[in-house]
Every structure is written in C-alpha cells, then in structure tokens.
Amino acid sequence: QVHLVESGGGLVQPGGSLRLSCAASGSLFSINTMGWYRQAPGKQRELVAVITRGGSTNYADSVQGRFTISRDIAKNTVYLQMNSLKPEDTAVYYCNVYGNSALTREPVDCWGQGTQVTVSS
C-alpha cells in the first residue's frame, strides 16, 4: 500500500549530471533503509546505493565518488545525485524502501516502477 513516485530520469551526455527523487506515500511506515538499484538490458539488477535510517551509506564500487544518496526521513523521500555520468550508467533505476508499518509493524518492502537513465553522446 506504499506508493513510490520516481522522477529525474532522462537523457544526458557523458560527464553530465542527473538527480533522481523517490517519494513514498500512501501509508505510514518506519523506514529502515532506502536505496537505488539499476538494471541494464541483458544484465541483472544491481545495488547502486543504500542509506539507512541512521544515515549510513553504501555504494557500488562503480559509482563510488560520483553518486550521492541522501534522504529526508520526515518526507519519506530518497534522492540520488549522479555526477560525472558515464555510458555504463545507462539503465533503468529503481527506488526501494524497506521498513515496518507504523500501525502494524509488518514488514514493508516496496519498489518503484523504474525511471530510465540514458547517458549518450
């Protein structure tokens, strides 16, 4: 019952930047982690970045130093600032939130629909 709304994808030239946003709404829940995954054609979905409720972050080696994940817990929103983009970053990017229902404490594991990021000259 949690709805994720992603935005910010698009076409950008190599070396450019994009900022992805993902806002969770629809029901109250306590976030444990929020993250971004991506999947390129013919490849397996992979973790890009994740941030915990306490603010700890983890990045894939391929994006370390170029991407920054951040969040606004009060707004249940996670961001992914992508700088120095490379053609290899081209993929569908998926937002993920994991936590517990504020009312029932049942697990909440929700995925966005995905937003296309294309890095090309």
Side-chain angles (χ1 to χ4, degrees):
Q1 202 167 330
V2 176
H3 302 90
L4 302 182
V5 180
E6 298 166 310
S7 62
L11 175 65
V12 66
Q13 294 184 348
S17 298
L18 286 173
R19 186 179 188 238
L20 306 183
S21 299
C22 177
S25 63
S27 64
L28 297 175
F29 67 100
S30 177
I31 297 174
N32 291 334
T33 63
M34 305 185 78
W36 291 93
Y37 294 71
R38 67 185 182 186
Q39 187 168 22
K43 297 183 178 180
Q44 196 170 12
R45 186 176 299 186
E46 64 176 351
L47 174 68
V48 177
V50 64
I51 186 167
T52 69
R53 184 181 183 87
S56 298
T57 59
N58 186 52
Y59 298 91
D61 290 341
S62 59
V63 307
Q64 184 73 44
R66 299 187 298 117
F67 291 10
T68 302
I69 188 170
S70 60
R71 83 281 187 257
D72 186 329
I73 295 179
K75 296 181 178 180
N76 291 332
T77 300
V78 63
Y79 307 92
L80 185 67
Q81 178 67 45
M82 304 184 293
N83 298 325
S84 302
L85 283 162
K86 305 175 180 179
E88 304 93 279
D89 296 317
T90 296
V92 177
Y93 284 69
Y94 298 90
C95 175
N96 170 258
V97 297
Y98 178 78
N100 300 95
S101 168
L103 298 177
T104 68
R105 299 299 296 168
E106 293 294 322
V108 176
D109 188 5
C110 190
W111 293 83
Q113 298 180 48
T115 183
Q116 177 70 49
V117 172
T118 302
V119 185
S120 176
S121 299

